[in-house]
């Protein structure tokens, strides 16, 4: 199975004309002794937080792996060990199955642009900022995982808040030229979320549009997602509120689609 998995990915990357460095990284992963490729998984969820989609997979009896630094230092995509771990799980995902990734958006969204200097024209932001640098690394590594998913015909979805400028990142743009991507706008509140939260989904399959069929009546709850104030110059400004992070969790009503559509 190890050789078959490797052949699927390398052949797919070659077909996509993906950057050679990605094929090299994949070959290095398959060269690590002791990795188990005899039990491939059905879904890989990175930046998984509360594991909403993974839990939906488990409920249906499918093998799914959640991946988030909050669980373990071995899942820190900023480290060589964590990135290697993620590469292994993606490489061990069944062809034609699924993957969801939601790269950390904190330095890409509009509320942070005053400090990050990111914009559609300058998506890489401030070169002297450690937070921006880490955000760029996380985004690039998420895109590499998407390339591997595409090479195995895995239906992947990459999620970002509507105000994120991550789609302008050079590697994302390069991926979009090689992999057909479908951009879908949704609101978390339309699927049972506590806030409306406009969200963008970038999918390798047009079936993402089927999420429309899972809309429900919004049942919004008071949440402090943003805080507006006047800065020292008396100009209107805003920053993320105490509930911003939890607003990213996928509501239950959307899981029937995100977890099951490809099966």
């Amino acid at each position: 199975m190890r050789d078959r998995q490797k052949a699927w990915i390398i052949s797919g990357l070659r077909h996509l004309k993906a950057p050679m460095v990605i094929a090299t990284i994949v070959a290095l992963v398959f060269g690590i002794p002791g990795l188990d490729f005899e039990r491939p998984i059905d879904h890989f969820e990175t930046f998984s937080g509360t594991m909403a989609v993974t839990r939906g997979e488990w409920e249906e009896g499918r093998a799914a792996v959640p991946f988030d630094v909050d669980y373990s230092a071995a899942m820190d995509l900023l480290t060589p060990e964590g990135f290697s771990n993620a590469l292994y799980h993606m490489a061990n995902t069944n062809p034609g199955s699924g993957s969801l990734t939601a790269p950390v958006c904190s330095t890409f969204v509009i509320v942070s642009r005053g400090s990050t200097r990111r914009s559609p024209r300058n998506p890489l932001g401030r070169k002297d900022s450690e937070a921006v640098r880490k955000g760029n690394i996380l985004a690039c590594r998420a895109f590499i995982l998407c390339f591997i998913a595409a090479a195995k015909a895995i239906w992947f979805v990459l999620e970002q808040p509507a105000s994120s400028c991550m789609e302008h990142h050079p590697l994302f743009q390069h991926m979009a030229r090689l992999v057909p991507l479908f951009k879908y706008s949704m609101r978390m509140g339309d699927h049972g979320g506590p806030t409306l939260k406009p969200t963008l989904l970038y999918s390798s399959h047009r079936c993402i549009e089927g999420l429309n069929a899972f809309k429900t009546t919004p049942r919004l709850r008071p949440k402090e997602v943003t805080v507006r104030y006047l800065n020292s110059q008396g100009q209107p400004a805003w920053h993320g509120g105490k509930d911003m992070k939890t607003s990213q969790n996928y509501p239950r009503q959307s899981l029937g689609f995100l977890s099951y559509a490809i099966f």
Side-chain angles (χ1 to χ4, degrees):
M1 180 62 77
R2 174 188 289 263
D3 291 341
R4 291 176 63 190
Q5 294 273 40
K6 180 179 178 181
W8 277 325
I9 298 173
I10 298 300
S11 175
L13 291 172
R14 185 182 299 115
H15 175 74
L16 291 172
K17 296 181 174 58
M20 183 61 68
V21 66
I22 300 179
T24 302
I25 292 172
V26 169
L28 290 172
V29 170
F30 278 94
I32 299 174
L35 294 182
D36 181 9
F37 287 94
E38 298 303 315
R39 294 176 294 174
I41 61 176
D42 299 311
H43 196 278
F44 184 41
E45 182 185 6
T46 55
F47 305 95
S48 47
T50 60
M51 303 186 291
V53 174
T54 296
R55 292 182 190 278
E57 294 286 342
W58 288 344
E59 289 177 10
E60 291 298 301
R62 290 191 284 272
V65 171
F67 196 96
D68 196 293
V69 67
D70 287 345
Y71 314 150
S72 167
M75 296 185 180
D76 185 353
L77 276 169
L78 287 171
T79 66
E81 296 81 6
F83 186 38
S84 298
N85 191 6
L87 288 166
Y88 159 65
H89 287 299
M90 184 61 82
N92 193 43
T93 303
N94 273 314
S97 53
S99 178
L100 173 69
T101 185
V104 176
C105 62
S106 57
T107 68
F108 286 91
V109 291
I110 195 169
V111 295
S112 66
R113 289 184 191 173
S115 59
T116 65
R117 300 293 189 268
R118 289 197 196 273
S119 70
R121 292 188 176 183
N122 181 35
L124 297 181
R126 289 176 51 187
K127 295 181 180 179
D128 63 335
S129 168
E130 182 72 5
V132 170
R133 185 186 71 84
K134 289 181 177 179
N136 287 334
I137 293 173
L138 287 173
C140 283
R141 294 184 175 181
F143 302 153
I144 289 172
L145 294 174
C146 289
F147 263 113
I148 296 173
K152 297 182 78 176
I154 290 170
W155 176 50
F156 71 81
V157 177
L158 187 148
E159 178 265 337
Q160 283 291 283
S163 71
S164 172
C165 62
M166 188 177 288
E167 69 175 56
H168 299 283
H169 190 287
L171 186 54
F172 184 100
Q173 289 293 307
H174 186 61
M175 179 174 68
R177 289 192 291 269
L178 302 178
V179 179
L181 289 179
F182 300 90
K183 183 177 177 180
Y184 176 78
S185 298
M186 63 169 284
R187 300 188 306 177
M188 291 291 189
D190 289 335
H191 298 272
T195 65
L196 286 177
K197 191 173 184 183
T199 301
L200 295 174
L201 302 179
Y202 304 89
S203 174
S204 59
H205 199 291
R206 188 182 295 276
C207 69
I208 191 65
E209 296 169 359
L211 192 58
N212 275 321
F214 287 76
K215 284 186 178 181
T216 186
T217 302
R219 297 181 179 180
L220 308 182
R221 275 89 74 191
K223 293 285 183 179
E224 187 182 283
V225 178
T226 59
V227 175
R228 297 178 182 273
Y229 64 99
L230 296 178
N231 62 21
S232 58
Q233 286 77 44
Q235 299 169 326
W238 57 331
H239 63 74
K242 61 183 177 64
D243 298 314
M244 174 168 279
K245 184 174 177 59
T246 57
S247 71
Q248 70 189 4
N249 299 336
Y250 273 87
R252 180 68 190 177
Q253 283 85 340
S254 67
L255 299 187
F257 177 79
L258 289 175
S259 296
Y260 314 148
I262 59 175
F263 290 92

